[in-house]
Amino acid sequence: MNVEILSRELIKPYTSTPPSLGRYKISIVDELSPVMNVPTIFYYAADIHGSGIENGTSISRCMHLKKSLSRVLTRFYPFAGRYVKESYMVDCSDQGAEFVEAKVDIRLDEIIGQGKDLKVELLNSLLPRPIGAGDEITDPVLAIQVSFFTCGGWAIGVLSSHRIADISTTSTLIKEWAIEAKLLLGGYDENQVAVTPLWNSASLFPGQKLSGLPLGLTRAKENVEDHKIVTKKFLFSKSAISKIREKARLDKSSDRLPTRVQSLWGIIGKAIIDIYVADPEKPRGFLIIQAVNIRERTDPPIPKHQCGNLYLISTTQSVAGEKGVDFEGLVYQCTCSAKRDVEICKMLLSAGDGGRLISQGFNDLTKSLTNPEISSVSLFSDWSKFPLYEADFGWGKPVWVSSANIPLRNNVYLFSEKFGGSIEAWVNLHIDDMPKFEQDPNIMEFTT
């Protein structure tokens, strides 16, 4: 797949950011988040009129997307700024979000139709910048690439800096951008009310000038030959998830089943952990990390549209047996850890030491990365509940939403499938570990 860049420019907010909002302070969670851009790619089929690069429709489409992006940046103004790491602030002087237009020499169905055989690293060409290129004063906080396929299909690749946004903030931005785009096309919907994003997370959890998670991402363009991390997509059907939940039930006499997500964490986590503990020379300690969204779980509740990074790191640490880790026990441990941290969320605003409670999970992860007793550290993020498939810019909803090749070892993301209640697991593993993971009996049994 070859991608030709046609243009690259900066899109500024439609209305200038007031001087009083010119310096955006980041919170302690923003500080502790890793230096990276979070990738999300939205794919759209050609409409009945066609949108190929050859008929000029791509030009008008990009103009429309730029205009609506400019309008939404007025409300999401930190995305048009630049992060100043020396002062732990975003300079909101309307420098602009990056907007790239490109054309691709293949059809869209040549990507979507690949299934498990898809070479995910090719998708990184649909992103405007390297995933690890963040935190420098010259780096845009938001970068967009609109790519047009030969069939008339197209894709929007989004990179949002983890310094100011988690997937909740990014999904809110995308949804509001899509609404602005439809309004410009005359597609007014009285049921859609513009969101007023809240940019005051630092007042809830003040920054302490801490360093982000040392995950080792480089600023270079992702290259599997260099970083040795491969990404594959595994589909768990609705019926397979039901079977996994039944299998994960620790108390077989109980009617209560573990959640869909915790059951998937168990089946995937066990497969990863068993790769490591199969070597008798390696320690059997392992750590599983889950990201827990803080929003609407505090007392009083933080609003759904509060912007920034608002999540806890939930840790599950234990030791595997000689034959590996017990599946039901692992699901139970992950469930207990998540429930514990949901309870912690309730205390974050009232306990007076919310920053300490938040930083504890980050500290546990940092220590585990150099702990000789732990052979496996896995990071899990659930994106399946976010409305990514609602991103209709006026020409229909996406036919697919994907991640990309993220060079972080043992890093897993869950995406909901568009139809049918299935879930896609995007698994990032060392190139030597992926074949072992694919041959795991549970992975072979429950994925398609």
Side-chain angles (χ1 to χ4, degrees):
M1 179 172 75
N2 295 312
V3 179
E4 179 185 351
I5 303 299
L6 303 177
S7 66
R8 188 184 298 267
E9 61 182 291
L10 295 176
I11 306 300
K12 299 184 178 184
Y14 182 74
T15 302
S16 298
T17 302
S20 60
L21 301 177
R23 303 286 281 178
Y24 170 66
K25 293 183 179 180
I26 66 173
S27 72
I28 186 173
V29 197
D30 298 327
E31 291 176 356
L32 291 169
S33 297
V35 180
M36 65 178 291
N37 296 302
V38 179
T40 321
I41 308 174
F42 301 79
Y43 303 83
Y44 298 86
D47 57 37
I48 58 175
H49 303 294
S51 58
I53 198 74
E54 71 284 350
N55 62 16
T57 307
S58 63
I59 297 175
S60 60
R61 183 154 298 180
C62 277
M63 290 295 292
H64 182 75
L65 291 171
K66 291 175 192 176
K67 187 175 181 179
S68 53
L69 177 61
S70 175
R71 289 180 178 274
V72 82
L73 284 175
T74 298
R75 287 180 286 141
F76 291 81
Y77 58 93
F79 278 109
R82 295 294 182 270
Y83 179 61
V84 184
K85 58 185 177 182
E86 292 80 11
S87 58
Y88 294 84
M89 289 186 176
V90 177
D91 177 14
C92 303
S93 300
D94 298 341
Q95 293 91 334
E98 187 174 63
F99 191 100
V100 176
E101 182 182 353
K103 65 177 181 178
V104 187
D105 66 348
I106 63 172
R107 296 173 55 87
L108 176 58
D109 57 17
E110 291 181 67
I111 290 180
I112 295 179
Q114 290 295 311
K116 249 174 80 170
D117 297 326
L118 172 66
K119 292 184 178 180
V120 175
E121 59 269 21
L122 295 177
L123 304 184
N124 291 52
S125 298
L126 303 177
L127 297 171
R129 303 173 60 80
I131 291 172
D135 274 19
E136 296 299 327
I137 192 64
T138 55
D139 294 325
V141 176
L142 174 68
I144 307 289
Q145 179 171 316
V146 179
S147 303
F148 293 92
F149 297 88
T150 57
C151 61
W154 52 293
I156 300 179
V158 180
L159 285 177
S160 54
S161 171
H162 218 331
R163 190 58 58 226
I164 71 160
D166 54 16
I167 186 59
S168 178
T169 298
T170 300
S171 66
T172 299
L173 167 72
I174 296 299
K175 181 180 179 181
E176 293 301 301
W177 178 19
I179 291 173
E180 289 282 357
K182 289 189 74 174
L183 285 173
L184 287 175
L185 286 176
Y188 175 72
D189 185 344
E190 62 182 11
N191 295 318
Q192 291 181 327
V193 179
V195 166
T196 301
L198 302 175
W199 292 99
N200 62 336
S201 294
S203 65
L204 304 176
F205 308 110
Q208 299 178 15
K209 297 188 175 180
L210 302 176
S211 299
L213 283 174
L215 298 184
L217 285 167
T218 68
R219 293 183 57 82
K221 196 71 175 175
E222 294 75 31
N223 188 321
V224 172
E225 288 73 21
D226 294 333
H227 59 63
K228 305 297 182 184
I229 303 297
V230 294
T231 305
K232 287 207 172 183
K233 173 176 66 75
F234 297 86
L235 179 65
F236 292 87
S237 68
K238 184 178 180 179
S239 60
I241 295 172
S242 296
K243 293 175 183 177
I244 294 170
R245 294 180 70 189
E246 287 285 353
K247 182 175 182 177
R249 182 167 48 186
L250 192 61
D251 182 358
K252 303 303 181 183
S253 64
S254 172
D255 292 333
R256 299 187 65 179
L257 296 174
T259 67
R260 288 157 48 94
V261 169
Q262 295 302 329
S263 300
L264 288 180
W265 286 162
I267 212 80
I268 296 170
K270 173 177 167 56
I272 295 174
I273 294 165
D274 286 353
I275 292 172
Y276 289 84
V277 301
D279 185 348
E281 300 299 320
K282 289 186 177 180
R284 301 190 182 280
F286 65 85
L287 185 73
I288 285 182
I289 299 292
Q290 304 175 67
V292 176
N293 191 356
I294 294 173
R295 296 170 183 85
E296 300 186 301
R297 287 175 167 153
T298 57
D299 185 16
I302 293 174
K304 181 179 180 180
H305 300 304
Q306 182 79 40
C307 291
N309 288 283
L310 287 159
Y311 63 94
L312 287 179
I313 282 188
S314 178
T315 60
T316 302
Q317 184 172 337
S318 190
V319 179
E322 292 184 2
K323 296 183 179 180
V325 68
D326 174 68
F327 169 59
E328 295 92 335
L330 182 61
V331 173
Y332 178 75
Q333 287 178 299
C334 290
T335 300
C336 289
S337 297
K339 288 182 177 179
R340 175 199 66 206
D341 285 285
V342 168
E343 290 300 313
I344 289 176
C345 287
K346 295 179 182 178
M347 303 184 295
L348 289 176
L349 296 180
S350 58
D353 56 354
R356 180 188 64 80
L357 295 172
I358 288 172
S359 62
Q360 185 59 53
F362 289 89
N363 293 337
D364 290 344
L365 174 54
T366 301
K367 292 176 183 177
S368 70
L369 295 174
T370 57
N371 186 344
E373 299 300 317
I374 295 178
S375 63
S376 169
V377 179
S378 304
L379 291 84
F380 294 147
S381 296
D382 175 25
W383 292 11
S384 65
K385 299 179 182 66
F386 295 104
L388 301 176
Y389 278 98
E390 298 301 312
D392 180 358
F393 290 84
W395 303 282
K397 295 180 180 180
V399 295
W400 190 40
V401 180
S402 83
S403 182
N405 173 230
I406 302 176
L408 294 177
R409 192 169 190 166
N410 302 348
N411 197 28
V412 182
Y413 294 84
L414 296 186
F415 283 75
S416 61
E417 197 193 26
K418 187 171 184 178
F419 303 109
S422 302
I423 290 180
E424 293 177 357
W426 288 70
V427 183
N428 303 273
L429 298 175
H430 189 274
I431 195 169
D432 296 332
D433 293 337
M434 185 60 79
K436 302 172 187 176
F437 180 86
E438 291 180 287
Q439 294 302 311
D440 179 89
N442 286 319
I443 299 302
M444 293 181 67
E445 178 181 358
F446 293 114
T447 63
T448 58

